[in-house]
């Protein structure tokens, strides 16, 4: 049975919490997928477009609306695109851990999983950053990864999908808050395309409708909704225009609290304090 995370409400009179999250993968997924990609300049340049070009558009759009984002960054991106880290930090946004070479933990033994976590933390340390949240590369992770996250002091994860409300994972020594996403609320299945994996190159008008419909559902339930995007996809000119319309549509329809995952995690009542608050409140 899932233990839902309790919140004492969203700040102000917000009727919904919205997390705009961005995975700044860069070249890491390709370099992690196989040595054969290290000389394939076009596919690498597709990844490079994220930190080099798409990210700037994302940051400008967030600044124009005055809303924060959560940026999940592989250590490899942090090491090879320091100016991207500086730009994200200058915007006052949150950083989350996204592996080092974007290696999915399903293909790694325990030592490999730990190395991805530790190397990612070390890369962030070189920028004076200590993330408290994690999103697994490719949205897959193993039970031992969850346990390591708790052991390394992370407070939340954003990789699992057992509910569309925040909930507690108890695989590790201490409970870890899960802030779930979903493929339908991610840009990649709609807009990601490479000659090696194919892709839909979907109509953004359809995705705009889907994302705003999910927003309406979240608003009716006063819950959090997390959108996951990649600067190399959402940072294309026509898709930034879609994201602009989505944010504008949210502001017109409801009273959203745009927040980082860290801000949301900080508001979650821990399972024990939620239980005592319930007792105190009868
Ligand atoms: Zn990723």
């Amino acid at each position: 049975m899932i233990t839902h995370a309790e919140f004492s409400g969203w700040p102000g009179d917000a009727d919904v919490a919205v997390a705009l999250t961005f995975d700044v993968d860069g070249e890491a997924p390709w370099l992690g997928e196989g040595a054969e990609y290290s000389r394939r300049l076009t596919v690498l340049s597709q990844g490079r477009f994220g930190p080099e070009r798409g990210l700037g558009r994302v940051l400008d759009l967030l600044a124009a609306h005055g809303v924060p984002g959560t940026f999940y960054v592989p250590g490899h991106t942090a090491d090879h695109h320091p100016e991207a880290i500086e730009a994200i930090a200058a915007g006052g946004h949150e950083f989350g851990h996204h592996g080092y070479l974007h290696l999915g933990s399903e293909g790694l033994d325990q030592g490999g999983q730990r190395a991805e976590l530790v190397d990612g933390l070390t890369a962030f340390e070189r920028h004076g950053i200590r993330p408290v949240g994690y999103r697994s590369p490719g949205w897959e992770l193993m039970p031992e990864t969850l346990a390591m996250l708790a052991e390394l002091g992370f407070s939340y994860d954003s990789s699992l999908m057992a509910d569309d409300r925040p909930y507690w994972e108890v695989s590790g020594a201490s409970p870890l808050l899960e802030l779930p996403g979903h493929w339908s609320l991610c840009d990649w299945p709609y807009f990601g395309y490479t000659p090696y994996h194919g892709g839909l190159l979907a109509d953004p008008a359809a995705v705009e409708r889907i994302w705003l419909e999910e927003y309406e559902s979240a608003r009716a339930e006063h819950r959090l909704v997390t959108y996951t995007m990649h600067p190399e996809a959402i940072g294309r000119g026509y898709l930034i225009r879609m994201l602009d319309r989505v944010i504008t549509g949210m502001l017109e329809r409801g009273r959203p609290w745009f927040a980082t995952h860290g801000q949301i995690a900080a508001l979650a009542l821990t399972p024990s304090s939620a239980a005592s608050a319930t007792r105190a409140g009868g």
Side-chain angles (χ1 to χ4, degrees):
M1 176 111 175
I2 288 174
T3 306
H4 294 115
E6 304 283 343
F7 294 85
S8 51
W10 308 127
D13 65 346
D15 56 0
V16 59
V18 178
L20 303 176
T21 70
F22 302 89
D23 299 355
V24 193
D25 290 344
E27 297 96 330
W30 294 106
L31 297 172
E33 189 151 321
E36 68 272 25
Y37 290 102
S38 67
R39 289 168 47 78
R40 295 189 185 175
L41 292 184
T42 299
V43 78
L44 286 176
S45 69
Q46 246 182 280
R48 190 178 171 194
F49 181 93
E52 293 281 350
R53 178 65 165 141
L55 176 66
R57 285 187 172 139
V58 166
L59 292 172
D60 286 349
L61 182 68
L62 296 182
H65 285 286
V67 299
T70 306
F71 290 79
Y72 291 94
V73 185
H76 183 275
T77 302
D79 277 348
H80 290 83
H81 299 281
E83 69 294 336
I85 301 300
E86 287 163 23
I88 295 166
H93 304 291
E94 185 193 2
F95 290 97
H97 195 298
H98 197 43
Y100 184 82
L101 205 53
H102 202 271
L103 301 177
S105 59
E106 73 278 12
L108 298 170
D109 61 16
Q110 291 213 25
Q113 292 176 41
R114 185 175 292 278
E116 273 282 292
L117 290 174
V118 171
D119 292 351
L121 285 174
T122 304
F124 270 126
E125 255 169 42
R126 287 190 272 271
H127 295 273
I129 296 162
R130 176 55 168 91
V132 297
Y134 175 76
R135 172 174 286 157
S136 58
W139 263 344
E140 190 56 87
L141 80 175
M142 311 287 273
E144 57 267 26
T145 325
L146 277 181
M148 285 177 203
L149 290 174
E151 176 200 323
L152 288 167
F154 284 86
S155 58
Y156 72 85
D157 171 67
S158 182
S159 314
L160 302 175
M161 308 180 183
D163 204 305
D164 53 16
R165 297 162 291 182
Y167 61 96
W168 293 101
E169 281 290 346
V170 287
S171 304
S174 51
L176 193 67
L177 182 67
E178 183 57 48
L179 300 174
H182 191 260
W183 299 108
S184 60
L185 305 176
C186 173
D187 63 353
W188 194 258
Y190 302 113
F191 306 121
Y193 175 88
T194 68
Y196 305 107
H197 299 305
L200 290 177
L201 295 180
D203 178 1
V207 177
E208 182 182 338
R209 268 199 318 277
I210 293 166
W211 285 12
L212 282 172
E213 277 297 299
E214 182 69 16
Y215 170 78
E216 286 299 337
S217 162
R219 205 157 74 82
E221 296 174 348
H222 293 263
R223 64 175 162 86
L224 164 69
V225 57
T226 291
Y227 297 89
T228 300
M229 294 162 274
H230 300 73
E232 67 184 274
I234 202 73
R236 303 302 307 188
Y238 74 111
L239 292 178
I240 275 290
R241 292 169 66 88
M242 180 201 80
L243 181 57
D244 189 15
R245 291 194 302 274
V246 167
I247 295 172
T248 302
M250 289 172 172
L251 291 165
E252 286 170 356
R253 289 156 186 240
R255 300 186 307 278
W257 178 47
F258 287 97
T260 66
H261 270 169
Q263 288 174 313
I264 292 156
L267 283 190
L269 307 170
T270 57
S272 54
S273 67
S276 56
T278 304
R279 276 196 301 277

